Amino acid sequence: MSDARTHDKVTGLILAGGQGRRMGGVDKGLQDFRGRRLVDHVYERLAPQVGGIIINANQNHDAYKTFGVRVVSDAIGNFAGPLAGLHAGLSISRRPYLASVPCDSPFLPSDLIERLLARLMESKAVLAVAKTGDQPHPVFCLVRRSVLEHLTHFLKGGGRKIDAWYGSLEVVEVNFDDHAEAFSNINTREELANFETESAQEGTPVESGTPIAPAAAAMIDSIVRPPGGSLAQVISCIDDYDPNALKVDKAREVIRSLLVPVATNEKLAVRAALGRVLGEDIISTLDVPAHDNSAMDGYALRHADLKSAGETELHLAGSAFAGRKFDGKLKKGECVRVMTGAVMPPGTDTVVIQEIVQAEGDKIRIPAGQKQGQNRRLAGEDLAAGKPVLQAGRLVGPAELGLIASLGSAEVMVRRRPRVAFFSTGDELASVGSVLKEGEVYDSNRYTLYGMLSRLGCDIIDMGVVRDDPASLERALKAAADDADAIITSGGVSVGEADFIRELLGKLGEVVFWKIAMKPGRPMAFGKIGRAHFFGLPGNPVAVMVTFYQFVRDALLALSGRTGELSLPLLEVPCTAGIKKSPGRTEFQRGILARDDQGEWSVAPTGAQGSGVLRSMAEANCFIVLAHERGSIRPGDRVQVQLFDGLV
Ligand code: AMP
Ligand code: MG
């Protein structure tokens, strides 16, 4: 998956401005394909690769506006072809690069932008284009924004043919033979129908060694395999991968590589966006502050009027307050009384604070030593018109709400919340409110999960308790996969229990069972079922919370579209007690961080640390994180802690 820095540089342009002639004059992007519109497939594949999306369409704008992104028509001609679309997109795009893809290419490669950009950046070319064999795919291209002028000129001169335009540019071709069929676009009704039926193969595991027809290979490549690559592929790239003793960091790495963030946006009133993730960059439409203004109560003057040495006497010409400006014209040797926030009177450049001047009637004596420009806030100092204020992927907190409001916006575009379905498994589980029978325990994990998921801002689907039987589990997993972006289960992944679940998950998706080198939380399953990310957490209540906070939390934040650092900070403090530990696994002890009599912070482990003792989580206010290689801790040794406070 492309990293946040790469992706922020590129705007994606979906070209949906054609007439669909070979399909009988329909709007191709809106044609149904596998239960959704063609453009939905393209959007979903492109969005995680770029910082923002623009759609070029020449009809049915409302239908394309469902993504909440900008939709633009060609500025020239009538249906003048892809170059006109590229021109329209480039004219309004603000990122340094723009990548175009057609709306009828539902299999476009998930590493398209990353690879085009890497090659373009290392060359002097202005345009990178995908190629398979000898065949370039001109509408799958990445251009530098600076090419707009050249393109405008070309179009003004009557040029319309994309090949001719390419011929006049420095172009670099990027080989995608490993995705040979991913560039197939769908031009006719027949092609649409063919791809539709072939897609029935989705989800059917393909045994290794079975020859695959080229078209089917494209399907497997681009649909069955999630954008980050298949789980098997990801795993094969990781050094010392051992599912029976997997290090915590490796597990995080695998999870991260397989995540496909939610890409759809919705528009909300500003206050309702609190806690949500920005769906697009916010560009300032105005200068904040709008005018140069005074930062202090005092006197605004022209610095050039001050003597170079000694005191200067100025004449008071009037006054200005916040919201009421000075209307007169300032003559040489005059000053204006100003209050904080008042617009700087025309011609003045400096404010002298009232405390240091001597005022007698309208004679104002200014002491020596004033610096030009002091105590003046410049227009646009906080936010400058046309400049990005906040990037897509940012969490909207109180400061962001204020910033958005300071631009005068009443609404803001945010990502849809990730939908998370969860259920507990186990024949021994009783629901709260019922009387416990022998051998039963109350299902507490679903409540812990409810709490953690709600705090994280997910849309939650609580599916209750599912019995340990294959048919019920299959039904529940299928229903969850249809509806949710992520599925979380607790229980049933330990060695004794896992066999039939393993078989079932293998049938429904691509899932691995891990024994993670950690305590608590050793057994865990992870993978994908259909389009949903699957986390099979252990059953023990503490292990549920530890695995959630160590793996699922970051994953769901990434899924929600957040960019930047997502993992919890680690702080180092002395530990008041000794802790026995052998090297070879990461331990997450529950600790209480407190200040001692001298005011120094230190941490003490809570009492019982058993993975069933949920009380330890309630008593604790932090995890004590003991790294993989570490041995026993002596009292006074420094350890790392992760605070629960602020943990969403
Ligand atoms: P399992 O991973 O299914 O073998 O469960 C491990 C332990 O956690 C067993 O003692 C279970 O009874 C307990 N457990 C499993 N699920 C839950 C739950 N939802 N609530 C409370 N305890 C559970
Ligand atoms: Mg169980």
Side-chain angles (χ1 to χ4, degrees):
M1 191 175 301
S2 49
D3 72 35
R5 275 161 303 142
T6 312
H7 114 196
D8 280 348
K9 291 188 193 134
V10 185
T11 297
L13 172 68
I14 302 178
L15 294 169
Q19 283 177 294
R21 275 206 217 97
R22 292 169 62 193
M23 222 176 250
V26 297
D27 194 341
K28 262 210 281 187
L30 305 180
Q31 297 313 297
D32 198 52
F33 180 60
R34 303 180 61 237
R36 294 184 299 150
R37 306 170 307 174
L38 269 172
V39 68
D40 293 323
H41 295 262
V42 177
Y43 187 92
E44 189 166 281
R45 298 194 140 248
L46 185 61
Q49 304 188 47
V50 292
I53 285 194
I54 296 171
I55 299 177
N56 165 235
N58 290 313
Q59 51 188 329
N60 304 319
H61 275 205
D62 283 346
Y64 288 108
K65 279 188 178 151
T66 52
F67 300 107
V69 301
R70 283 177 296 173
V71 180
V72 276
S73 299
D74 297 352
I76 52 154
N78 99 47
F79 297 97
L83 279 185
L86 192 61
H87 175 259
L90 267 174
S91 307
I92 62 161
S93 160
R94 293 191 188 88
R95 291 187 181 78
Y97 301 92
L98 179 113
S100 77
V101 298
C103 68
D104 56 357
S105 57
F107 317 121
L108 68 96
S110 55
D111 53 0
L112 177 71
I113 308 304
E114 203 179 335
R115 283 163 69 176
L116 290 176
L117 185 62
R119 287 293 306 284
L120 188 62
M121 283 170 78
E122 70 190 24
S123 76
K124 282 214 226 61
V126 290
L127 185 149
V129 61
K131 164 185 178 177
T132 52
D134 293 335
Q135 179 71 45
H137 303 286
V139 281
F140 293 84
C141 73
L142 178 82
V143 295
R144 295 186 196 272
R145 217 182 94 71
S146 55
V147 84
L148 174 60
E149 203 178 321
H150 182 278
L151 178 58
T152 309
H153 194 72
F154 181 83
L155 290 166
K156 273 197 182 138
R160 294 291 180 267
K161 291 243 181 306
I162 202 160
D163 300 353
W165 185 57
Y166 274 38
S168 65
L169 290 176
E170 193 170 335
V171 172
V172 50
E173 293 184 331
V174 185
N175 186 294
F176 278 87
D177 280 348
D178 53 331
H179 286 290
E181 305 275 330
F183 297 91
S184 14
N185 49 359
I186 298 178
N187 284 310
T188 62
R189 288 246 160 257
E190 200 183 352
E191 281 166 5
L192 194 65
N194 286 345
F195 277 113
E196 182 89 42
T197 44
E198 279 171 33
S199 72
Q201 302 197 12
E202 186 197 0
T204 314
V206 177
E207 285 169 29
S208 53
T210 313
I212 305 166
M219 288 294 174
I220 291 153
D221 187 43
S222 53
I223 297 176
V224 178
R225 184 194 301 165
S230 75
L231 186 50
Q233 268 180 334
V234 169
I235 286 169
S236 69
C237 297
I238 291 189
D239 295 339
D240 65 19
Y241 174 81
D242 177 356
N244 290 312
L246 187 65
K247 286 192 187 161
V248 169
D249 287 347
K250 301 279 172 198
R252 288 202 185 107
E253 207 176 309
V254 174
I255 294 172
R256 206 169 35 236
S257 351
L258 233 71
L259 292 176
V260 185
V262 166
T264 30
N265 283 344
E266 57 193 358
K267 205 175 236 177
L268 296 181
V270 176
R271 282 196 187 91
L274 183 65
R276 302 291 293 270
V277 178
L278 278 184
E280 59 182 27
D281 291 355
I282 295 196
I283 311 285
S284 183
T285 47
L286 35 94
D287 282 333
V288 177
H291 308 279
D292 292 1
N293 67 72
S294 174
M296 302 294 273
D297 291 349
Y299 295 85
L301 46 87
R302 220 182 264 118
H303 191 262
D305 288 355
L306 298 179
K307 294 187 185 131
S308 49
E311 206 174 71
T312 310
E313 186 175 296
L314 299 175
H315 178 80
L316 184 64
S319 54
F321 301 93
R324 185 146 53 82
K325 65 183 199 303
F326 171 74
D327 279 330
K329 220 168 164 186
L330 208 65
K331 293 201 275 299
K332 191 167 160 40
E334 287 187 333
C335 65
V336 176
R337 174 104 174 96
V338 287
M339 295 302 174
T340 307
V343 173
M344 292 290 285
T348 65
D349 55 7
T350 301
V351 173
V352 178
I353 56 170
Q354 59 187 13
E355 289 80 357
I356 61 168
V357 310
Q358 282 184 12
E360 273 170 40
D362 55 8
K363 288 193 179 55
I364 309 295
R365 288 215 296 278
I366 310 284
Q370 310 305 325
K371 284 206 197 76
Q372 187 179 19
Q374 71 186 18
N375 302 322
R376 171 190 53 167
R377 294 190 288 230
L378 293 174
E381 187 175 276
D382 194 359
L383 308 172
K387 293 262 165 54
V389 180
L390 295 167
Q391 311 276 354
R394 268 285 277 264
L395 179 70
V396 180
E400 286 75 12
L401 282 190
L403 263 182
I404 295 164
S406 71
L407 296 174
S409 310
E411 290 181 318
V412 55
M413 196 67 88
V414 296
R415 292 266 192 268
R416 161 172 84 67
R417 293 179 202 269
R419 269 192 296 278
V420 182
F422 63 104
F423 58 85
S424 299
T425 69
D427 287 336
E428 78 282 25
L429 300 180
S431 291
V432 297
S434 66
V435 179
L436 274 190
K437 297 200 200 68
E438 201 182 324
E440 284 187 342
V441 290
Y442 285 119
D443 170 19
S444 61
N445 289 345
R446 217 151 39 85
Y447 290 81
T448 321
L449 279 169
Y450 163 83
M452 296 188 291
L453 289 167
S454 304
R455 286 261 193 104
L456 213 52
C458 300
D459 257 349
I460 54 179
I461 309 168
D462 183 343
M463 299 179 68
V465 174
V466 177
R467 298 291 153 209
D468 284 326
D469 92 89
S472 319
L473 277 166
E474 178 165 356
R475 252 197 320 276
L477 286 166
K478 276 187 171 156
D482 278 350
D483 223 20
D485 302 297
I487 306 170
I488 301 176
T489 62
S490 77
V493 290
S494 52
V495 178
E497 289 192 302
D499 286 355
F500 74 91
I501 294 200
R502 198 180 297 250
E503 202 175 308
L504 180 62
L505 288 170
K507 188 168 106 185
L508 298 179
E510 197 188 14
V511 176
V512 284
F513 284 75
W514 284 330
K515 292 199 195 83
I516 302 182
M518 69 187 280
K519 187 184 166 190
R522 202 159 106 91
M524 187 177 142
F526 170 71
K528 291 201 83 169
I529 301 177
R531 289 174 46 229
H533 304 78
F534 173 76
F535 300 88
L537 306 187
N540 273 314
V542 179
V544 167
M545 294 195 78
V546 172
T547 48
F548 185 93
Y549 283 135
Q550 298 307 323
F551 304 109
V552 186
R553 173 190 169 278
D554 300 7
L556 291 180
L557 291 180
L559 207 62
S560 69
R562 286 271 295 272
T563 52
E565 178 59 58
L566 299 177
S567 53
L568 288 166
L570 287 165
L571 310 173
E572 235 184 56
V573 290
C575 187
T576 57
I579 302 174
K580 274 188 77 178
K581 176 184 183 289
S582 337
R585 69 179 181 209
T586 308
E587 290 198 13
F588 298 91
Q589 297 246 338
R590 273 72 68 210
I592 300 172
L593 186 71
R595 244 194 293 213
D596 63 18
D597 300 341
Q598 276 79 52
E600 299 295 326
W601 290 95
S602 61
V603 68
T606 61
Q609 294 279 339
S611 65
V613 186
L614 194 53
R615 192 163 44 86
S616 67
M617 280 300 295
E619 282 170 2
N621 62 5
C622 65
F623 286 124
I624 303 174
V625 184
L626 304 175
H628 189 87
E629 313 72 31
R630 230 173 151 168
S632 289
I633 308 295
R634 288 162 309 180
D637 282 355
R638 291 181 80 77
V639 291
Q640 292 186 309
V641 296
Q642 263 172 355
L643 281 180
F644 291 171
D645 201 17
L647 202 63
V648 281

